[in-house]
Amino acid sequence: MIAELRSAGGNGGPAQAEELAALESVEQRVLWLSTAIIDHANRVRPNPSGLKVGGHQASSASMTSIMTALWFHALTAEDRVSVKPHASPVLHAINYLLGELDESYLTTLRAFGGLQSYPSRSKDPDPVDYSTGSVGIGATAPLWGALARRYVEGRFGGAGRGRQYSLLGDAELDEGAIWEAIQDPMVPGLGEVVWVVDLNRQSLDRVIPGIAADKLQGMFAAAGWQVISLKYGHLLQELFTRPGGEALRARIDAMGNPEYQRLLRCSADELRERLPGTGSTAAPIADLIAPLDDFSLLAALRNLGGHDIGALTDAFAGVDDTRPTVIFAYTVKGYGLPTEGHPQNHSSLLTADQMSALADRLGTDLDHPWTRFGEGSAEAALCAAAAQRLHRPEQAPPKPPAVPADLARPAPTGIGNTQQALGRVLLDLTRRAPEAAARIVTVSPDVSSTTNLGGWLNKVGVWSPTERPNWFADDAETILHWRERPTGQHVELGIAETNLVGLLGELGATWSRWGQPLLPIGVVYDPFVNRALEPWSFGIYAGGQSILVGTPSGVTLAPEGGAHQSITTPSLGIEQPGCVTYEPAFAIDTEWCLLAALGNLASPGGRSAYLRLSTRPIDQSTAAVPSDPAARERRRRHVTAGAYRLRQHEKPVVTLAAMGALVPEALAAADRLAALGHGADVVCVTSPDLLFRALQARRGLSDDPAWILDQVFPLDRATPLVTVLDGHPHTLAFLSTIQNVPVSTLGVTRFGQSGAIEDVYRYHRIDTDSIVTTALDLID
């Protein structure tokens, strides 16, 4: 009966039928391998600690049909795929069949140094296009990957024209990051983007009563996406054409998710009783299913579009490449497993008896679970053809552009701030290091002009896939010239920080993805770094190397009030792996830190950076930059290593360590302390992050250089310490442990207030009077 239904479904001639049969056989092997990988990690591999290992057999099973159709039929070498986190065993099973993963790794899921819990570009031993695991972030990554690919291809070439696929679970559509991403003005033109939603209608705890698929599809359509719904497979569609078929369709369409899931748990006899339901349609449905044998009846009920290989390949072939596409593929969680459709199957694991029965049904061997297809079989030929089609030649790591350590400009002497210095350094690079400047791409969520990027934008233009007219070009009062063209080097997104850092991460991965290094810089108001923290961190984890600039920052932005005053961001920078944080006080410090950060990008050993800048005007001459070239270079090395001694007293009794915008208060406090007969050294901290790493290295806990500690905090000048910054005071508290001296820490621990800067500083006790009082308390 199955063959009869399939033939009537119209899958094409003999060649298509042969390929379909091979694909379905491969699908069964992928189901077995992914299930066995998890089984070995939980039931076979020794586990002395007794802690749960896990691995999501049911979530993997719901994806086997989709991923089989994609990898073994639709994908090309230029395509990239983001795989939903809980389907990582399916990806590893496929890579194994393609010859991209050694058999020895199949027993290492979630083991130290083995296959990762969720797909990881940087940690998995087999090909992974996008790291996933943080719900919603990995799903949206292909959008930003598509933009990054277009940018690289338009400016430098070599990125190809492949599709960007995202395979995501339906529960991920609850994440706000999804809807922020699809609403961005840049997205509707990304025709290479294809999302496939695994619509299994289950969450971790339950069957979702009403998933509102029609509403979700309407939201995508309203955003300009092509929407394809794969609700029923060919078996069910053929049944719908028979007498009573429309009644069956109406019955299933009107059925709630929990009732449908319960039917999946029924025997054939129970199904014949329950499926017809009640009312006038019951008899036609009963008559329709009566001739079906038990196997065909059970198979037909499960024949949703997301498990019908023919329907899936048809859907991939029908993608409209002029706009983004989303395919809603209806599936069954646990498809093909004994836990199929059970509301609590999310973390359930098959028993030994169930694994043995599954092996018998799928034609495999539990004692030899990793057997490949026999040589000369249609399945082996299909795997070999897919492996050849998907092969990507290895490429040597690209050489990033040389970034000068110093632009050799005279140190500024007037009044200025670190935010202004950002734009000035970018413009200087276009003249003094054009090759490096050509690789810089800036990104902003609609705050370009308010973060001092105006001059840079006027110089390099705004990136757009096509050139657009600048209707204000002839307006004499227009200062910011918005020239949109494919050669532009600034990308303007809508007001959504998660989108900013999502794109930043993908721009920062082009060196490893397509062999084209970029130097991405994202600019955001510093208080909203917190909002962007998770996707920014995940982008770094995934190998994206970039620079995030938070500006303006702190309570120094006094008139803006508490909502726009950042407190925790200095310590966030310290705590972020794969990233160096800087908070310079002067324009020249900003230049040196930014150049050092740019020089660390786009290479296997590179790392990201976070710069916290300010709009506070400061007398730049107080930086006292040495005029002697050797002394200037020494100062630069100290600045980029984390700190430098800004003022040294002959007989210091206290050290004032200040960071960023509060250095003027520390200098004024040192003058007043000197007038009281108390000598004070002033240390300007540019990177608490690098100082902490140096301290860890001194203790043998890291491999970072430690020389800066002896230069800036030498033992012979060890005195009680006052630390002060426009942020939480614990950021610099560790400095006292360098020489084990008494310390008092000043900073911001309360929400801010609007007002004059003097009043706000006094309110938080980070003003000059507070520094003097605190120092006297330490030394008296």
Side-chain angles (χ1 to χ4, degrees):
M1 186 62 72
I2 286 287
E4 176 191 344
L5 291 174
R6 178 175 295 137
S7 176
N11 274 321
Q16 285 186 323
E18 291 174 5
E19 182 188 12
L20 181 61
L23 283 168
E24 290 175 344
S25 181
V26 170
E27 172 196 14
Q28 295 299 299
R29 186 59 57 88
V30 170
L31 173 64
W32 167 256
L33 287 171
S34 59
T35 306
I37 288 170
I38 301 168
D39 177 67
H40 189 281
N42 288 271
R43 192 180 57 81
V44 181
R45 192 171 68 214
N47 182 11
S49 70
L51 293 174
K52 172 189 171 184
V53 177
H56 304 100
Q57 288 175 330
S59 295
S60 293
S62 70
M63 287 294 297
T64 54
S65 309
I66 294 169
M67 294 177 67
T68 298
L70 189 57
W71 261 265
F72 294 95
H73 178 83
L75 279 186
T76 71
E78 289 189 323
D79 299 334
R80 299 293 185 271
V81 188
S82 170
V83 177
K84 83 169 189 177
H86 292 166
S88 63
V90 183
L91 177 61
H92 299 311
I94 288 174
N95 281 333
Y96 172 64
L97 291 177
L98 293 175
E100 295 284 1
L101 182 67
D102 188 78
E103 181 179 319
S104 61
Y105 281 104
L106 299 181
T107 60
T108 67
L109 179 69
R110 301 191 173 201
F112 185 80
L115 299 177
Q116 298 301 296
S117 306
Y118 309 125
S120 171
R121 287 190 73 220
S122 58
K123 294 184 178 181
D124 271 316
D126 51 334
V128 174
D129 292 332
Y130 288 98
S131 296
T132 59
S134 186
V135 177
I137 304 304
T140 58
L143 294 176
W144 316 123
L147 277 177
R149 185 204 63 78
R150 287 194 178 199
Y151 185 91
V152 168
E153 181 64 21
R155 285 188 57 81
F156 307 106
R161 301 182 60 84
R163 285 180 179 172
Q164 301 285 324
Y165 289 90
S166 180
L167 312 180
L168 62 155
D170 49 16
E172 289 194 77
L173 296 180
D174 291 342
E175 287 291 331
I178 297 288
W179 304 106
E180 285 187 339
I182 71 168
Q183 291 293 334
D184 190 272
M186 282 283 187
V187 170
L190 300 176
E192 63 269 47
V193 167
V194 180
W195 284 13
V196 184
V197 179
D198 173 18
L199 199 67
N200 61 45
R201 294 167 287 180
Q202 280 189 241
S203 63
L204 189 149
D205 291 328
R206 61 173 182 162
V207 177
I208 302 172
I211 201 166
D214 292 342
K215 176 183 176 182
L216 295 171
Q217 293 172 19
M219 293 168 69
F220 276 97
W225 288 52
Q226 177 192 19
V227 178
I228 298 175
S229 180
L230 289 183
K231 189 169 186 178
Y232 300 120
H234 288 85
L235 302 184
L236 270 177
Q237 289 184 34
E238 197 283 325
L239 275 180
F240 295 155
T241 67
R242 299 183 181 186
E246 285 303 317
L248 178 62
R249 180 194 290 271
R251 163 85 168 115
I252 299 178
D253 281 343
M255 190 181 295
N257 295 334
E259 182 182 2
Y260 175 79
Q261 300 282 103
R262 180 63 186 89
L263 292 179
L264 295 173
R265 310 289 300 168
C266 292
S267 66
D269 288 341
E270 291 172 325
L271 189 57
R272 294 181 192 280
E273 180 181 346
R274 290 192 179 202
L275 181 56
T278 59
S280 60
T281 60
I285 295 174
D287 291 342
L288 171 66
I289 64 177
L292 301 180
D293 60 68
D294 290 352
F295 180 78
S296 296
L297 176 61
L298 294 173
L301 181 69
R302 289 156 172 75
N303 183 228
L304 299 181
H307 296 303
D308 189 298
I309 298 291
L312 287 162
T313 56
D314 288 346
F316 292 136
V319 168
D320 176 5
D321 287 322
T322 66
R323 54 181 173 154
T325 295
V326 58
I327 301 172
F328 282 84
Y330 283 72
T331 61
V332 174
K333 194 166 184 175
Y335 180 72
L337 302 181
T339 57
E340 181 178 71
H342 194 281
Q344 279 82 55
N345 66 7
H346 183 81
S347 300
S348 65
L349 298 168
L350 270 60
T351 65
D353 289 342
Q354 288 174 327
M355 284 296 299
S356 179
L358 182 67
D360 291 341
R361 181 167 65 83
L362 298 180
T364 57
D365 185 348
L366 185 59
D367 295 326
H368 301 90
W370 320 125
T371 304
R372 297 178 184 272
F373 290 112
E375 187 175 349
S377 66
E379 294 85 354
L382 183 66
C383 292
Q388 183 176 7
R389 183 180 71 252
L390 299 177
H391 177 71
R392 299 171 188 166
E394 291 188 13
Q395 56 185 15
K399 183 178 180 182
V403 179
D406 190 345
L407 296 178
R409 297 174 67 253
T413 55
I415 302 297
N417 62 58
T418 55
Q419 180 178 283
Q420 291 171 338
L422 169 67
R424 188 159 51 242
V425 172
L426 294 178
L427 284 175
D428 283 348
L429 276 169
T430 63
R431 295 185 288 267
R432 297 171 185 261
E435 290 187 5
R439 296 284 174 167
I440 292 175
V441 52
T442 55
V443 188
S444 166
D446 198 35
V447 292
S448 303
S449 57
T450 53
T451 52
N452 280 91
L453 289 182
W456 165 255
L457 263 66
N458 288 342
K459 176 73 174 179
V460 302
V462 178
W463 180 81
S464 173
T466 58
E467 188 158 354
R468 298 175 179 173
N470 177 14
W471 297 106
F472 289 87
D474 58 349
D475 188 332
E477 296 183 4
T478 298
I479 300 176
L480 186 64
H481 301 295
W482 206 261
R483 293 189 292 268
E484 297 180 88
R485 53 198 179 190
T487 58
Q489 291 180 242
H490 174 79
V491 182
E492 187 83 357
L493 298 176
I495 306 176
E497 286 75 18
T498 56
N499 293 347
L500 166 83
V501 293
L503 177 56
L504 205 61
E506 290 306 316
L507 290 168
T510 59
W511 66 274
S512 59
R513 202 184 291 284
W514 293 295
Q516 289 289 357
L518 294 178
L519 307 178
I521 302 174
V523 181
V524 63
Y525 289 167
D526 194 66
F528 307 132
V529 167
N530 290 278
R531 185 182 299 172
L533 182 60
E534 184 194 0
W536 175 50
S537 176
F538 201 79
I540 295 174
Y541 166 79
Q545 298 173 13
S546 61
I547 298 172
L548 182 63
V549 177
T551 182
S553 62
V555 301
T556 298
L557 190 62
E560 292 281 354
H564 273 198
Q565 296 174 355
S566 52
I567 297 172
T568 62
T569 48
S571 57
L572 291 178
I574 295 177
E575 296 158 11
Q576 175 59 49
C579 175
V580 176
T581 182
Y582 297 102
E583 186 168 345
F586 300 101
I588 190 66
D589 296 352
T590 306
E591 173 186 314
W592 289 335
C593 291
L594 181 59
L595 293 176
L598 288 168
N600 272 329
L601 299 179
S603 65
R607 56 190 177 186
S608 296
Y610 162 50
L611 271 69
R612 190 174 189 253
L613 304 183
S614 172
T615 53
R616 185 187 182 185
I618 290 179
D619 181 358
Q620 299 298 308
S621 66
T622 57
V625 180
S627 57
D628 180 82
R632 175 186 170 110
E633 172 59 16
R634 180 175 183 269
R635 166 69 70 84
R636 185 200 67 78
R637 290 181 65 245
H638 285 195
V639 166
T640 57
Y644 60 94
R645 303 187 70 80
L646 182 56
R647 184 175 295 181
Q648 293 193 157
H649 196 274
E650 291 182 1
K651 297 180 179 179
V653 295
V654 67
T655 298
L656 310 179
M659 188 166 74
L662 291 186
V663 167
E665 276 62 37
L667 291 172
D671 290 338
R672 287 173 53 180
L673 287 168
L676 294 172
H678 304 293
D681 284 350
V682 178
V683 171
C684 181
V685 176
T686 55
S687 175
D689 182 12
L690 292 177
L691 294 181
F692 183 77
R693 296 182 193 208
L695 186 59
Q696 293 290 85
R698 174 185 281 183
R699 294 167 176 162
L701 299 176
S702 79
D703 297 326
D704 293 281
W707 61 268
I708 189 64
L709 301 181
D710 293 328
Q711 294 285 312
V712 180
F713 298 98
L715 183 59
D716 61 353
R717 300 187 73 85
T719 61
L721 179 67
V722 177
T723 67
V724 60
L725 76 153
D726 188 353
H728 199 282
H730 78 75
T731 306
L732 299 179
F734 73 92
L735 295 179
S736 66
T737 65
I738 296 174
Q739 300 297 356
N740 295 315
V741 297
V743 64
S744 287
T745 59
L746 302 179
V748 181
T749 58
R750 295 179 287 177
F751 287 116
Q753 299 283 343
S754 296
I757 193 171
E758 296 83 4
D759 296 331
V760 173
Y761 278 9
R762 190 178 304 112
Y763 171 77
H764 290 288
R765 299 198 65 186
I766 55 176
D767 59 317
T768 301
D769 284 352
S770 296
I771 297 174
V772 171
T773 301
T774 303
L776 292 174
D777 287 344
L778 274 177
I779 61 182
D780 278 353

